[in-house]
Amino acid sequence: MKLIILDRDGVINVDSMHYIKSPEEWVPIEGSLDAISFLNKHGYTVVVATNQSAISKKLFSLSTLDEIHKKMQGLLKVKNAKIDKIFFCPHTDDDYCSCRKPKNGLMKEISKYYKINLKNVPSIGDSTRDLEAFSASDAQPILVRTGNGKTVEKNKTYPENTLIFDNLLEASKFIVKSE
Ligand SMILES: [Zn+2]
């Protein structure tokens, strides 16, 4: 199978310092839904691996997270696209879990769920912790210049083999072209 792993906030949707706490606050980044549709059309299974510490902080509930994801999937459906599965970590640093990125517990879950090795699987994020989690599973880290991406690029806080693109659509075009 052809798999692609995406961070959510700052890659698919506009991020907020105050967390995305409701479906109304979930707004796609221009071109990101088209990017997922383009990947699906080219036979890619797209999954999300996202830190959602606001759950542990009780800023919103699991059912609200579900509502947010229903909005995301609904907007994708209009474009004949979908996220196959959403893997999320609900914890904060204080929970000392193994899934909060930069740890690679979510990556391990993905690997186990699809029964595939994640070596060189294109994995796209906007934060250092995403890229470190991807790298820890030997996936191909890809940084986008949306969300925190420009800051990460400027500070060079990314793994050495990271590829960098303006946004999810540009990264997706590259991935399909270089098959
Ligand atoms: Zn966790």
Side-chain angles (χ1 to χ4, degrees), residues 51 53 56-57 89-98 100-103 129:
N51 282 353
S53 61
S56 185
K57 290 176 185 164
C89 162
H91 309 111
T92 67
D93 285 336
D94 295 336
D95 295 324
Y96 299 103
C97 69
S98 59
R100 183 167 162 78
K101 295 175 286 182
K103 289 185 180 151
R129 62 188 177 193

Side-chain angles (χ1 to χ4, degrees), residues 6-162:
L6 306 180
D7 173 43
R8 199 195 77 181
D9 300 330
V11 173
I12 305 175
N13 59 280
V14 180
D15 201 3
S16 163
M17 280 172 65
H18 307 291
Y19 305 99
I20 305 300
K21 301 180 294 302
S22 67
E24 292 69 37
E25 289 175 355
W26 195 93
V27 176
I29 291 170
E30 201 183 334
S32 71
L33 303 179
D34 290 320
I36 294 165
S37 174
F38 177 74
L39 290 168
N40 284 165
K41 271 191 198 103
H42 285 86
Y44 284 92
T45 297
V46 179
V47 300
V48 159
T50 177
N51 282 353
Q52 294 296 328
S53 61
I55 296 281
S56 185
K57 290 176 185 164
K58 302 199 186 303
L59 294 175
F60 55 82
S61 65
L62 281 173
S63 66
T64 301
L65 185 66
D66 196 44
E67 290 301 317
I68 292 169
H69 289 156
K70 275 188 187 143
K71 177 180 180 179
M72 175 170 76
Q73 298 284 32
L75 293 173
L76 283 165
K77 200 175 176 188
V78 175
K79 295 176 185 285
N80 282 317
K82 68 165 184 177
I83 305 285
D84 197 60
K85 194 166 167 62
I86 297 159
F87 297 83
F88 67 93
C89 162
H91 309 111
T92 67
D93 285 336
D94 295 336
D95 295 324
Y96 299 103
C97 69
S98 59
C99 43
R100 183 167 162 78
K101 295 175 286 182
K103 289 185 180 151
N104 69 338
L106 293 178
M107 299 294 281
K108 285 180 178 165
E109 263 186 68
I110 293 168
S111 173
K112 204 171 155 188
Y113 183 82
Y114 290 103
K115 299 182 177 64
I116 65 163
N117 187 310
L118 298 182
K119 191 171 167 61
N120 298 330
V121 166
S123 302
I124 306 177
D126 71 311
S127 297
T128 302
R129 62 188 177 193
D130 300 322
L131 304 168
E132 286 176 348
F134 301 155
S135 199
S137 287
D138 286 329
Q140 170 61 58
I142 299 174
L143 174 67
V144 283
R145 296 185 181 102
T146 50
N148 298 317
K150 281 183 180 164
T151 308
V152 173
E153 183 183 24
K154 187 168 151 249
N155 297 336
K156 293 191 163 53
T157 51
Y158 50 80
E160 225 171 68
N161 64 331
T162 299

